[in-house]
Amino acid sequence: MDNPPAQPLDSGQVMKNNLLVTALLVAVCGLAAMVLGLALMFELRFRQVRQLQTVLAAGQNNRGVIGQVINEANEYSKTHPSIDPLLFKYGAKAVQASGAAQTKPGGR
Amino acid sequence: MSEQLAGVRGVLSVLLVAVFCLALGAALTLYRQVSLMGGQLAEVRRLVEDYQNNTFPKISAFAYSLNQYAKTNPDFMPILVKYKLTINEAPATATGSAPAGPAAKK
């Protein structure tokens, strides 16, 4: 009954002006911004790589098709030698395709 | 009460240090991944440029020559049709805007 009235506790001096907490907060916010930026960069580069890999896959497919055409053209040239100059011009005659994807026109 | 407040401040500091360490680890990991992805992107770009500037023009020219040959030797045409390699347009030479690839049907 004779207790003195409760005095409000001034916590400002304890919490607000704490240099360590402020520094840690600033550091954490800075790192969070850096993580966000890096995540965005990673996503952008990943999308670009995926897009370009689609183009590469189409190119591989084209190479395979041309390799098969070269094989058939070589077979055709056994009965129709008139195609030989064309095959020699593009370096397709001398190449005996063991795998279709490894042959391509254009002399070396 | 002031002791409790000091305790809360201590807990807050520890938590902030922990979050800082986590964020630092995440940032370092992401930085490494971004660097690796950058190298991969450069390599893929190089391959695509090589294909578009060197390989594809040769493929187009070869396919066009085969089509020209097939006009005078019609028995070769079924091979071109089989691989969908029939092309009526000459490939672009200098501008770099290559026509559709060997799979183009005309």
Side-chain angles (χ1 to χ4, degrees):
Chain A
M1 284 180 60
D2 293 331
N3 290 335
Q7 298 293 329
L9 180 65
D10 183 12
S11 61
Q13 297 297 324
V14 179
M15 295 297 285
K16 193 174 73 172
N17 294 331
N18 190 319
L19 196 58
L20 175 64
V21 171
T22 305
L24 284 173
L25 271 174
V26 169
V28 167
C29 289
L31 270 180
M34 193 185 306
V35 166
L36 183 65
L38 286 171
L40 284 173
M41 276 179 63
F42 179 83
E43 178 64 23
L44 282 172
R45 287 185 179 181
F46 178 76
R47 285 187 182 187
Q48 286 176 347
V49 166
R50 193 168 55 186
Q51 193 176 7
L52 290 174
Q53 280 178 341
T54 305
V55 176
L56 267 184
Q60 279 295 107
N61 184 48
N62 288 345
R63 282 199 186 101
V65 168
I66 287 296
Q68 292 172 16
V69 170
I70 287 173
N71 288 339
E72 296 230 18
N74 278 310
E75 286 299 313
Y76 179 84
S77 73
K78 292 176 182 174
T79 52
H80 299 81
S82 59
I83 200 176
D84 282 345
L86 193 146
L87 296 179
F88 285 131
K89 177 184 175 185
Y90 289 98
K93 177 67 175 179
V95 178
Q96 294 299 323
S98 57
Q102 295 181 5
T103 59
K104 58 181 177 180
R108 283 177 293 172
Chain B
M1 193 67 171
S2 61
E3 291 89 5
Q4 289 176 344
L5 209 56
V8 168
R9 187 187 67 188
V11 168
L12 178 63
S13 300
V14 169
L15 277 174
L16 282 174
V17 168
V19 170
F20 176 81
C21 293
L22 272 173
L24 185 64
L28 288 173
T29 304
L30 266 177
Y31 176 76
R32 181 181 166 81
Q33 290 301 315
V34 167
S35 297
L36 288 174
M37 189 60 67
Q40 196 175 352
L41 180 62
E43 178 65 19
V44 170
R45 270 197 185 131
R46 186 188 65 80
L47 290 173
V48 168
E49 278 178 16
D50 178 66
Y51 171 75
Q52 288 179 337
N53 295 333
N54 296 327
T55 307
F56 184 74
K58 292 173 185 171
I59 288 176
S60 294
F62 181 60
Y64 180 73
S65 298
L66 287 177
N67 273 271
Q68 295 301 104
Y69 175 81
K71 286 179 181 176
T72 54
N73 297 270
D75 48 350
F76 188 73
M77 187 58 78
I79 296 176
L80 296 179
V81 171
K82 175 183 172 183
Y83 291 101
K84 300 176 186 175
L85 211 59
T86 51
I87 298 174
N88 289 332
E89 299 171 356
T93 50
T95 58
S97 57
K105 271 195 290 190
K106 270 288 198 177

